Amino acid sequence: MEFDFPAAMAESVRSRAGAWALVRGFAAYWGEPLGPGDGFTDAELDAAERRLGLRLPAALREAYRLFGRRADLTSSHDVLLTPEELHVLDGALVYRAENQGCMHWGVPLADLDREDPPTVARLDLADKSQERWEPWEECFTTAAVTMAMMEKLLEDVELSDCLESEEDLPGGFRELPALGRNYRWHQGPEVLVGVLGEAWVAARARTPEALDALYEAAPGQ
């Protein structure tokens, strides 16, 4: 199949519809197309609202309905909380957790009335008095899209791996449009690379041959 990744990435920052179109195209091109059972139901999200005593933002509901159950897009490394696991911590609705609980992501309660609110992140520190919510992405859709892309790249399958450094990218890779304040994206022949700060340089190939070609061309491990 054909997938104009740069165009889809550029469109994703213009509207929520564009963001979800990117997730659909990305899931189909780099794995399996989204299906009707890949998201949570309105009834499950309504139950979470009643339990928490608050309204979930439209963008969060849309993401959960579209792909909230797809572990390859939500929980390959870190974990998207289920509607039953959503909870409030120090003024934010927590929706995602690092796999060992070292970091959490949330939406400020003060912004829950916005359709596409900003997101925040919080490190788990030994000195709890020093923990603070810090800005993550300016809107939830961007946080959700970048989560889906990076989690797919980090999926524990033979077509995924990590590079030692972004500098190890061989010639022939091009940097894709900016998406996410903490990420950089590169595309080569049948390979996508996502860079998350200093934490990850993750690669996903569409074929074993494409991954072998990356191994041969990359100077590092």
Side-chain angles (χ1 to χ4, degrees):
M1 62 173 292
E2 295 297 326
F3 179 46
D4 190 340
F5 203 15
M9 292 179 73
E11 187 62 31
S12 73
V13 301
R14 299 190 180 102
S15 68
R16 299 206 306 273
W20 308 143
L22 172 57
V23 173
R24 289 188 185 93
F26 175 85
Y29 190 77
W30 293 98
E32 296 293 331
L34 293 177
D38 287 341
F40 292 97
T41 65
D42 280 319
E44 290 172 303
L45 295 168
D46 292 344
E49 288 184 337
R50 290 192 297 271
R51 175 178 59 84
L52 294 165
L54 50 77
R55 294 295 300 274
L56 300 177
L60 185 146
R61 290 185 68 106
E62 290 167 358
Y64 269 74
R65 287 201 308 260
L66 181 62
F67 65 97
R69 292 184 181 275
R70 277 284 294 266
D72 60 321
L73 302 175
T74 65
S75 304
S76 293
H77 183 265
D78 301 323
V79 181
L80 179 71
L81 303 185
T82 68
E84 292 181 345
E85 294 171 328
L86 293 171
H87 60 277
V88 173
L89 174 65
D90 289 348
L93 174 67
V94 180
Y95 67 88
R96 188 179 179 217
E98 196 269 342
N99 64 41
Q100 295 181 332
C102 297
M103 188 172 181
H104 292 83
W105 291 264
V107 176
L109 296 182
D111 294 312
L112 288 182
D113 59 341
R114 299 171 59 176
E115 291 191 347
D116 197 1
T119 59
V120 290
R122 179 187 181 110
L123 288 171
D124 180 50
L125 304 175
D127 184 354
K128 298 302 181 184
S129 68
Q130 298 300 310
E131 290 186 6
R132 298 287 188 276
W133 287 111
E134 301 290 347
W136 185 250
E137 299 291 357
E138 294 183 357
C139 61
F140 183 86
T141 51
T142 299
V145 169
T146 53
M147 171 189 69
M149 292 169 57
M150 184 57 76
E151 292 296 323
K152 189 65 178 177
L153 267 58
L154 292 170
E155 188 180 14
D156 187 16
V157 296
E158 292 183 354
L159 293 177
S160 295
D161 210 335
C162 291
L163 300 177
E164 284 187 317
S165 167
E166 189 175 5
E167 297 178 355
D168 289 339
L169 281 173
F173 276 74
R174 60 169 172 164
E175 187 165 1
L176 294 170
L179 181 61
R181 63 191 295 265
N182 301 288
Y183 299 86
R184 292 180 301 282
W185 309 95
H186 305 267
Q187 188 173 22
E190 298 289 274
V191 176
L192 176 66
V193 173
V195 183
L196 174 55
E198 302 298 323
W200 296 106
V201 183
R204 174 80 179 213
R206 295 194 73 219
T207 66
E209 294 76 16
L211 188 59
D212 287 342
L214 176 62
Y215 288 150
E216 292 176 4
Q221 295 295 313

